[in-house]
Amino acid sequence: QVHLQESGGTSVQAGGSLKLSCVASPGTIEKWSMAWVRQPPGKEREVVGIVFHDGRESYYGDSVKGRFTISQDAAERTLWLQMNALRFEDSGMYYCAANWVGGQWPPGATDFYYWGQGTQVIVSA
């Protein structure tokens, strides 16, 4: 069974930085593409970024390109999301997701099989 546990969400001022972590069950990162997906208040989930299992270039949503970076370490079973130059609109629940099943491009939030419970990020102006 795949378990994903996010942490690191908190309140931060606009312009600041924050790093989220996701600890995965053993073998998860080695086996599947991993992603961060967020859901702003009152809006649908959107893909922040994906680290592909096949080694292709990571994908980032247009709204976070150049500001957010995804990294991972299989030995530590951890996926990270480094968020810089945070904006009010970056606020939301951030989810770790695994096993990208493809099917559409750009990737959609429905394209993942496993999900964590989420961690809340609040960016104040």
Side-chain angles (χ1 to χ4, degrees):
Q1 183 161 346
V2 174
H3 182 70
L4 305 170
Q5 181 63 60
E6 305 93 336
S7 63
T10 189
S11 297
V12 61
Q13 286 192 328
S17 297
L18 192 62
K19 190 171 186 177
L20 306 181
S21 300
C22 169
V23 178
S25 301
T28 300
I29 289 179
E30 294 94 324
K31 191 173 183 179
W32 289 305
S33 297
M34 302 291 296
W36 287 97
V37 177
R38 70 184 180 186
Q39 185 165 21
K43 297 184 179 180
E44 294 184 351
R45 292 186 183 185
E46 60 178 353
V47 176
V48 174
I50 304 173
V51 178
F52 294 105
H53 178 255
D54 60 7
R56 76 181 88 167
E57 185 176 354
S58 296
Y59 166 86
Y60 292 94
D62 287 341
S63 61
V64 305
K65 278 181 185 176
R67 299 189 299 123
F68 290 12
T69 303
I70 295 178
S71 59
Q72 64 183 27
D73 187 314
E76 295 191 29
R77 299 192 284 122
T78 303
L79 178 77
W80 294 278
L81 179 64
Q82 177 66 49
M83 304 185 291
N84 298 326
L86 282 162
R87 305 169 181 169
F88 175 76
E89 53 266 33
D90 293 320
S91 297
M93 187 69 79
Y94 282 70
Y95 298 91
C96 178
N99 192 4
W100 178 60
V101 298
Q104 59 181 326
W105 194 269
T110 57
D111 293 347
F112 300 92
Y113 197 76
Y114 299 108
W115 293 85
Q117 295 298 307
T119 187
Q120 185 79 43
V121 173
I122 300 172
V123 182
S124 57

